[in-house]
Amino acid sequence: MPLIAHSKLPSFARLKSEGEVVLSKDRANHQVIRELHIGLLNLMPDAALEATERQFFRLIGQSNQIAQFYLHPFTLPSVKRGDKAAKHISEHYQSFDEIKAQGLDALIITGAHVEQADLKKAPFYHDLKTVIDWSYTNVTSTLCSCLATHAVMEFRYQQKRQAIGKKCWGVFKHQIADRSHPLVSGVNTNFNVPHSRFNEITKQQFAAAGIKILVDSEVGAHLCVSEDLLRIVFFQGHPEYDTISLLKEYKREIMAYLSGSRADYPIVPMHYLGEQNKAILNEYKTKLIAGELDISDFPEGLISQTLDNTWHDATRQIISNWIGCMYQTTHEDVNKPFMDNIDPKDPLKLK
Ligand SMILES: CC(C)(COP(=O)(O)OP(=O)(O)OC[C@H]1O[C@@H](n2cnc3c(N)ncnc32)[C@H](O)[C@@H]1OP(=O)(O)O)[C@@H](O)C(=O)NCCC(=O)NCCSC(=O)CCC(=O)O
Ligand SMILES: N[C@@H](CCO)C(=O)O
């Protein structure tokens, strides 16, 4: 929530010059206080569909205890679904036409499980492009996660993602590359983010497209913003992941090994597990391969008790900053992206 500079106390000006959100009394008196409407385009596979809803809903809810958020989940009909997920979607999700009629202040687009680099082969390619085109002109800010970042880079900036050659999988150290942007205000200078991907947009590609890198890491850029510094926010990692998400993916890979759909036994996600948990999983592997245990013995319950989460605080702060930046610029009418005095080329007046 922004501070109101209701007196000439020098600290207000000082904080404002440091990038904190400080409103003048006049601006505060005229600000429209209303609820916010945020869309969630959920492209995650069936098994992760509802967990992903909860991850993003939780982050939005925790970002501010006073503002009121209406969340609008939707998906694309071109994503193939099983019966259970299809029922959930038909009962609880809106259609894209309903979303357009409703109007959104902000949109989150999740990642999706598409391993091949060429996004054109994804069944939802054209539908996703339609949503992204609509959102750029109708929504104040769109936050893209992982594959959605790759898709926007291809659709809007002609930068195609590239196969890394192995899976970037684990929890990695990140550093803030530009401490002056309000999206990273109040975030620790170093923090961790989970990644789970076979593909990447390189730092050179972001730079060539005029995209600003705000958070960087040993596995590449994570948090970036479009040239106007707000309208598209890119995550390349999965900062929304639950503590247990990578363990569930690891178990899925062991199941793939057992069924013969992958040749090698998976290595554990990097920098995610302590020594004791690695030892437990190593012993499990030995006994599984020897036929003494099966997949039902996978020690998920035991390991989950001591898994660390070293990314959630930073993610919540970034989401809170994103909501704040969006609220300061969005129009009173949810169907218009910006207030009349806002320049869409520089909505935060940072240039
Ligand atoms: C790994 C699985 C298959 C696990 O699902 P399962 O149904 O097998 O889980 P389970 O062990 O049977 O447990 C079911 C319980 O766990 C919950 N659950 C399921 N998945 C979860 C997750 N990821 N995080 C947290 N909780 C999760 C369910 O809601 C359910 O909770 P209740 O029992 O309480 O209801 C799934 O999470 C999944 O598909 N994850 C992959 C997501 C993904 O593809 N991410 C990468 C995007 S990659 C990208 O964007 C780009 C890729 C690239 O370009 O290379
Ligand atoms: N951006 C608006 C709030 C949303 O209507 C304002 O600051 O008045």
Side-chain angles (χ1 to χ4, degrees), residues 62-97:
Q62 290 173 350
S63 73
N64 191 301
Q65 300 297 317
I66 299 168
Q68 297 178 0
F69 299 110
Y70 286 78
L71 286 158
H72 301 276
F74 66 112
T75 188
L76 300 174
S78 40
V79 180
K80 208 169 171 299
R81 299 290 183 188
D83 292 346
K84 184 166 173 269
K87 182 167 182 286
H88 177 76
I89 288 164
S90 82
E91 285 177 359
H92 304 293
Y93 280 33
Q94 290 172 272
S95 68
F96 182 43
D97 283 341

Side-chain angles (χ1 to χ4, degrees), residues 10-177:
S11 284
F12 286 127
R14 176 88 173 250
L15 285 167
K16 191 163 187 188
S17 73
E18 289 170 4
E20 296 300 327
V21 183
V22 181
L23 303 189
S24 69
K25 192 135 184 295
D26 181 55
R27 165 91 173 97
N29 285 341
H30 291 95
Q31 187 165 33
V32 177
I33 304 298
R34 68 155 170 89
E35 81 289 354
L36 289 165
H37 291 270
I38 302 179
L40 176 71
L41 175 55
N42 195 347
L43 302 176
M44 280 295 214
D46 288 9
L49 189 75
E50 291 185 59
T52 303
E53 269 167 37
R54 293 192 292 270
Q55 287 160 8
F56 282 110
F57 279 30
R58 200 179 289 129
L59 281 167
I60 298 289
Q62 290 173 350
S63 73
N64 191 301
Q65 300 297 317
I66 299 168
Q68 297 178 0
F69 299 110
Y70 286 78
L71 286 158
H72 301 276
F74 66 112
T75 188
L76 300 174
S78 40
V79 180
K80 208 169 171 299
R81 299 290 183 188
D83 292 346
K84 184 166 173 269
K87 182 167 182 286
H88 177 76
I89 288 164
S90 82
E91 285 177 359
H92 304 293
Y93 280 33
Q94 290 172 272
S95 68
F96 182 43
D97 283 341
E98 287 167 331
I99 293 286
K100 284 190 285 188
Q102 152 62 49
L104 297 175
D105 296 301
L107 171 64
I108 296 169
I109 310 180
T110 72
H113 191 65
V114 174
E115 292 188 8
Q116 86 265 352
D118 185 0
L119 284 173
K120 273 212 171 77
K121 292 188 182 145
F124 51 76
Y125 184 85
H126 293 287
D127 285 352
L128 180 56
K129 186 168 186 319
T130 304
V131 176
I132 287 168
D133 287 345
W134 172 82
S135 77
Y136 191 71
T137 43
N138 291 279
V139 176
T140 309
S141 183
T142 299
L143 189 154
C144 304
S145 173
C146 198
L147 176 135
T149 285
H150 297 170
V152 173
M153 289 302 292
E154 175 166 336
F155 297 151
R156 291 197 64 81
Y157 300 96
Q158 294 74 51
Q159 295 288 339
K160 291 194 180 224
R161 69 183 192 161
Q162 305 169 22
I164 301 169
K166 59 181 176 138
K167 188 164 186 182
C168 169
W169 199 34
V171 179
F172 300 93
K173 236 187 173 170
H174 288 60
Q175 316 83 41
I176 297 185

